Amino acid sequence: MTVIATTQPRAALTEEARAELSALLGDRFTTSLPVREHHGKDESYHTPFPPDGVAFANSTEEVSAIVKICAKHKLPIIPFGTGTSLEGGIAALAGGITIDLSGMQRILRVSPEDLDVTVQAGVTRKQLNEHLRDTGLFFPIDPGANASLGGMAATRASGTNAVRYGTMRENVLGLTVVLADGRVIRTGGRARKSAAGYDLTRLFVGSEGTLGIITEVTLKLYGIPEAISSAVCAFPTIKGAVDTVIQTIQVGVPVARIELLDEVQIDAVNKYSKLDYAVAPTLFFEFHGTEAGVKEQAEMVAAIAQEHGGMEFAWATRPEDRSKLWQARHDAYYAALALRPGSKGWPTDVCVPISRLADCILETKKDLAESDMLAPMVGHVGDGNFHLVYVLDPENPAELAEAQRLADKMVSRALEMGGTCTGEHGIGYGKMAFLEQETGEAFNVMGDLKRAFDPNNLLNPGKVVRV
């Protein structure tokens, strides 16, 4: 399924609009080409599209004022956090103004007694956890990149801890959002449950900047576990590793993280991060809880792994060892690219019901074995989500076509198994056709919502839905 970016007629950045934005922001509004190019590309292989200008905002009030100017002049508006998205979500397909929220880095309120926090959208997950370090609390959602929390909410991010703590969907209590006409609304609240009206919070979480611009986020926090232990276990077959994951989840072991790296990815990680793991399908585990609880969890999982051919657990209990282990996992994308210097990565992901995970991964691995495409596999397999990175030469049409064929086949297989075209990368403009295939008539309802919230199609146009 070839994916083509849809655009609308490009609105010109007039001198009047430029003057109004400059008067509002001074040198925090720029049309410098290097700055515009930086804001038109993400970490994906998708073609970059730079905006006509970049506005650096410091507050909700400034975002509202910028949006009102853009709405007056019919200029498209693209929110920007840290630029780590993977499906072209920040490309300025129709030009317009990128609003960079990275300067909005205030932690507005921490309530340890209520286990919640409110932050501006530009605060990153590492910055928040550093701030929380002395409170005994932490925010667990960890997509790997040091992404902004506003961007994580906008893309419904998840990551390695999702198997225990859920995704951004479960951990966002409320939002401050600037709408397409510049109005500011607040959704949700600090109560842990509410039956008051439509759940607008969940509507904006995952909307990728197409319905409104998230400027503040209220999040759940968690107590830092008394004990944390990580382990690595290699398997002779990918099936043994996946069956270990399935059985672990089905018997209810509350593991915090279960990550799968296939033999290609482990080889890449060894070379990139200077490690010496066995070059075989490998699971990375992390256990959270009391000393006794962690010990019990680890023993149960080790026994399950042994049943499926798992080798001896290699433990990491010291914080510095755990940090090294998980940093190696988070660097998997760059490790994959290092296998072929000068290459680009085409990352994609799917998510399936846990009972179909083994079938989906094994059939995908079979396709790769029959192709000459280099594509390491990693996965947050505790919740049925896995990723491929096609390592390719973007100037080689044959390689691009083969990656497209394999990616299409993987997504179609996941949909046939009752899964989704993306577990966490989002839609952007790269997976719009798959979203339509997955959701059917609901795709048109999403378009109706987009038109209701943004009748002039100014907010991140050409993404998620067609208008």
Side-chain angles (χ1 to χ4, degrees):
M1 181 182 298
T2 302
V3 180
I4 301 173
T6 57
T7 63
Q8 63 186 46
R10 192 178 183 99
L13 174 60
T14 64
E15 285 303 319
E16 182 182 358
R18 187 195 306 263
E20 290 179 23
L21 289 165
S22 294
L24 175 68
L25 300 170
D27 60 8
R28 288 188 287 120
F29 174 70
T30 180
T31 57
S32 161
L33 180 59
V35 176
R36 291 191 293 115
E37 288 180 338
H38 170 72
H39 285 80
K41 61 183 173 68
D42 57 15
E43 292 285 351
S44 74
Y45 77 98
H46 294 296
T47 303
F49 289 83
D52 297 314
V54 179
F56 293 86
N58 286 337
S59 66
T60 296
E61 292 72 25
E62 282 192 344
V63 173
S64 174
I66 295 164
V67 168
K68 287 176 180 177
I69 292 171
C70 291
K72 172 184 172 182
H73 296 279
K74 299 294 190 290
L75 288 168
I77 307 156
I78 306 95
F80 183 97
T82 60
T84 55
S85 55
L86 293 168
E87 288 295 346
I90 58 173
L93 301 179
I97 302 301
T98 288
I99 301 181
D100 186 316
L101 304 166
S102 63
M104 296 178 61
Q105 294 199 342
R106 290 176 57 210
I107 296 170
L108 301 171
R109 178 194 54 80
V110 179
S111 296
E113 301 86 354
D114 297 311
L115 299 176
D116 65 31
V117 63
T118 300
V119 301
Q120 288 187 313
V123 173
T124 67
R125 64 175 186 86
K126 288 184 179 180
Q127 178 189 348
L128 175 59
N129 280 326
E130 180 66 23
H131 183 84
L132 295 171
R133 187 175 57 183
D134 296 333
T135 67
L137 304 174
F138 80 122
F139 181 68
I141 309 306
D142 179 3
N146 188 26
S148 68
L149 292 163
M152 288 170 61
T155 56
R156 201 184 299 130
S158 52
T160 58
N161 276 322
V163 64
R164 176 160 182 159
Y165 298 99
T167 72
M168 289 298 283
R169 180 183 64 189
E170 292 79 34
N171 287 283
V172 175
L173 293 170
L175 299 168
T176 300
V177 181
V178 176
L179 301 180
D181 58 6
R183 283 181 296 163
V184 177
I185 65 169
R186 289 175 173 80
T187 74
R190 294 178 56 205
R192 289 304 172 105
K193 65 178 184 178
S194 171
Y198 298 142
D199 190 349
L200 294 178
T201 302
R202 298 297 170 273
L203 188 59
F204 287 108
V205 172
S207 65
E208 301 184 35
T210 61
L211 301 180
I213 301 173
I214 295 169
T215 61
E216 295 177 8
V217 190
T218 296
L219 300 162
K220 294 180 184 178
L221 299 177
Y222 297 81
I224 296 174
E226 173 190 324
I228 301 174
S229 185
S230 299
V232 175
C233 182
F235 291 79
T237 66
I238 199 96
K239 186 177 188 304
V242 176
D243 286 347
T244 296
V245 172
I246 293 172
Q247 190 173 341
T248 297
I249 298 303
Q250 288 176 340
V251 301
V253 181
V255 291
R257 314 193 210 200
I258 311 180
E259 296 289 297
L260 170 67
L261 287 74
D262 74 355
E263 66 283 0
V264 183
Q265 185 65 71
I266 276 288
D267 182 47
V269 164
N270 279 345
K271 292 172 179 174
Y272 186 82
S273 299
K274 307 292 190 295
L275 299 171
D276 58 356
Y277 295 127
V279 179
T282 300
L283 293 177
F284 286 22
F285 297 96
E286 189 161 276
F287 307 96
H288 293 181
T290 62
E291 292 284 356
V294 164
K295 183 175 184 292
E296 182 182 23
Q297 293 173 42
E299 289 173 350
M300 290 178 66
V301 175
I304 293 170
Q306 190 172 26
E307 289 178 16
H308 297 286
M311 303 174 197
E312 193 75 21
F313 272 33
W315 291 99
T317 54
R318 295 187 308 167
E320 57 268 32
D321 294 335
R322 292 200 312 272
S323 178
K324 183 178 181 181
L325 185 155
W326 290 110
Q327 189 59 50
R329 166 59 186 90
H330 289 326
D331 287 341
Y333 177 71
Y334 303 105
L337 296 185
L339 289 174
R340 186 179 177 185
S343 63
K344 281 282 282 185
W346 179 331
T348 189
D349 81 314
V350 294
C351 189
V352 295
I354 193 76
S355 63
R356 302 306 308 273
L357 181 62
D359 293 337
C360 196
I361 288 180
L362 290 171
E363 290 181 34
T364 300
K365 289 285 288 182
K366 183 173 180 290
D367 289 343
L368 292 173
E370 294 170 355
S371 169
D372 59 0
M373 182 64 65
L374 176 62
M377 177 183 290
V378 300
H380 312 311
V381 286
D383 50 16
N385 181 206
F386 69 95
H387 311 245
L388 288 181
V389 178
Y390 300 102
V391 181
L392 49 75
D393 174 5
E395 304 301 321
N396 186 323
E399 290 190 19
L400 288 169
E402 178 65 356
Q404 186 76 68
R405 182 186 73 83
L406 292 168
D408 290 356
K409 193 171 182 180
M410 184 175 88
V411 173
S412 295
R413 177 182 297 120
L415 296 181
E416 289 167 4
M417 292 180 173
T420 177
C421 65
T422 175
E424 61 183 12
H425 288 184
I427 298 299
Y429 75 84
K431 282 192 170 176
M432 286 174 60
F434 290 126
L435 179 64
E436 186 171 12
Q437 179 183 340
E438 178 178 333
T439 57
E441 184 59 30
F443 186 77
N444 295 324
V445 175
M446 293 180 202
D448 293 341
L449 279 169
K450 167 70 170 172
R451 282 182 283 272
F453 276 83
D454 182 17
N456 293 315
N457 193 24
L458 297 180
L459 291 173
N460 214 5
K463 317 293 173 55
V464 184
V465 295
R466 291 190 190 87
V467 177

